Each structure stands twice: as C-alpha cells, then as structure tokens.
Amino acid sequence: MHRPVDDAAAPPAAAARTGPAVPLPDNVTRLTQAQRGWNAVQLTVTDFQCAGPVVHRLGSDDQVSMSTVLQEVGGRCEPRLRKNRPSPLAHRPRHLTVVPPGMEVWGYGDQLRFARDATLQFDADALEARLGLRVDADGLHVPRLGIADDHAWTLVRLLADVVDDPDPSTQLYGDGLVTAVCARLFAGRQNDAPRTGAGLAPWQLRRVIERLDDRLPARVELAELAELAGLSQSHFSKAFKASTGLAPYRWQLDARIRRAKALLLDSDAPLESVAEATGFADAVHFGKAFRKLVGASPGAWRTDRKH
C-alpha cells in the first residue's frame, strides 16, 4: 500500500531510499511511497502532490538506480546534472534516467500538480552473479539522462502496477519483468544463450515442474527455478516458455486455477475456502482471476458442471 508522507520532517523520495529523513522538497505538499523487492532489485513508487516547481535528488549513494517518470500532470519533468541549471535535452515524456552510485542528478518538475516516479535500485554484483548477465560497464558507471525507451518504460510501469499485489504469482511475474529490464538496459553479450526457440531438457523441465507443484500455491522466486535448471534467469524464462508455451508466472497461476477447479468439483467448500487453499487473498480476488482465465465466475462454473 502507498504510505503517505505529508509532514515537515518526512523524507522526499531520494532521502527515503538513500539516507536520513529530511524535509519535503519545496512545493511538494504530499508524498506517498510503495516499495517492493524482486531479484535483488528494489522498486520504489513515489507519488508527488505539488503546488509549483519541484526539484529533488535522484539516485543512491551506494547503488545504481533508474528513475522512470510514469505520470506528469500540470507540468513537465526533466533530469538535471546541476540542481539549478536546466537540462540541455529536449523534453521527452515517459523518459528514464540511469544514475551511477553517489552521483548527484536531480529531477525537476515545472509547475507540476502531480507526478509519479518509479525508481529501481540495482545491486551491481547481483546483475551478473544472480541474473547471469554480462554487464556493459558503461551502463553502470555513466549517467544516462532522458532515455526514450518505450519497451523498458512499459516493463517498469507493469512492475509499478503490481507493487502492492500480494498474489503469490506476482513474485515470478515481477522477477521476470526485472530480469527483462536489466537485460535491456545493462547487458552485453550473453554467456549461456540458448539456441533460438530451444526449450528445456526433459530433466530440467521435470525438476522445475516438480518444484512448482511441491510449493503450490506459495510464492516461488525465478532465481530458484533457474538454479534448478542450471541457467541464468533470462535464459531460463525463454526456455521455459519455449517448452510450455507459458511464462513461469502464468504457468503457476494456471496450476492454481486447475487446483481450484478440482476443489470446486470435488467438494462443497465455500469460495472463500477455495480461494485461501489456492493462494488468493479472498473470494473477490479469486473470482476476478478465475473469470479472466476461464471465462466464467467460479460459482457459475461449478454449477454448470455439478448439475
């Protein structure tokens, strides 16, 4: 859930991520944040309510970060290398800015009423060790301001959309999105790239499916599944989809729905109990997911098949 920060001692977005609490930036009347980690990458989604020009520091003292402007209302946002010096770059809506550790880069908003920012902080060592990416050093140590990359922007927006989602399958979903963002922004040539269209070997697929079944409906991390197959996460995701036709998170969600169908047919358990047994927050959440994948509500689906 987004947490409101609206008193004089509350931190702005950068301070909340990198250091002790300081006053809100000038002209920010309210600031709310939501945070979540995937794949050793920390996401912070910040909403700014504003009443005039705003300037605040981007980045982190000890990690590579990427700030993404998701919304800007009433004005325009721009990255700056100097706090009080306008950016030489032409304004680009939906831009991204990569900031090396410890570098001062500033976000400026001209006459903003509202802005939403999604910032990813990356553990540089984990980019190679955990994600299996061969990292382009320039992507980590050189600032990149006002990047126009609609695909990367969309990936970050999808992450921001589920920052508060407690569903177990959101773990695999977010892990996959983070891996795709990192590969797009930082990766050079890959070390273990599979042949185009190549799937998992039978033993790899068997191990992974057994692990997913054993853990169902609990949360599973993409790193755990990739390790079982002996692949990097990005290559595992591609190979798993080549083998099954589904992304790992979607396979897990489908498996939960299959289990729900069995419970609906084999018992008279109330929908709330079926939802709990299959990892959904409540009957409403379960009903929405079931209808989206099956095309009917759980109650209607059960009634049609029991009568």
Side-chain angles (χ1 to χ4, degrees), residues 111-124:
Q111 302 299 329
L112 285 171
R113 299 296 302 278
F114 173 83
R116 171 166 291 172
D117 170 90
T119 295
L120 292 170
Q121 289 187 346
F122 304 92
D123 182 330

Side-chain angles (χ1 to χ4, degrees), residues 2-3 13 17 31-36 38 42-48 70 116-120 156-157 159-164:
H2 278 72
R3 297 178 292 280
R17 294 189 289 270
L31 182 151
T32 60
Q33 290 186 321
Q35 295 181 320
R36 181 165 182 168
W38 283 285
Q42 182 75 17
L43 169 69
T44 302
V45 180
T46 305
D47 287 351
F48 298 88
L70 298 178
R116 171 166 291 172
D117 170 90
T119 295
L120 292 170
V156 176
R157 180 186 59 78
L159 272 176
D161 287 346
V162 296
V163 66
D164 292 325

Side-chain angles (χ1 to χ4, degrees), residues 165 167 253 256-257 271 275 280-299:
D165 191 339
D167 189 271
L253 181 58
R256 291 163 61 202
I257 295 296
L271 296 184
F280 294 96
D282 51 38
V284 174
H285 182 207
F286 168 52
K288 289 180 178 178
F290 192 95
R291 181 185 290 274
K292 185 175 181 180
L293 269 67
V294 179
S297 69

Side-chain angles (χ1 to χ4, degrees), residues 4 28-29 38 44 61 69 106 137 191 221 227 252 264 269 277 288 299:
V28 173
T29 59
W38 283 285
T44 302
D61 287 337
V69 178
W106 301 87
N191 296 323
E221 293 189 3
E227 184 177 359
Q252 185 190 46
L264 290 170
K288 289 180 178 178

Side-chain angles (χ1 to χ4, degrees), residues 25-26 28 52-57 80 82-84 106-109:
D26 290 343
V28 173
V54 172
V55 61
H56 68 105
R57 187 186 169 192
R80 293 181 168 186
R82 298 289 183 270
K83 185 175 183 179
N84 297 314
W106 301 87
Y108 174 80

Side-chain angles (χ1 to χ4, degrees), residues 6-28:
D6 54 6
D7 57 90
R17 294 189 289 270
T18 63
V22 297
L24 289 171
D26 290 343
N27 297 322
V28 173

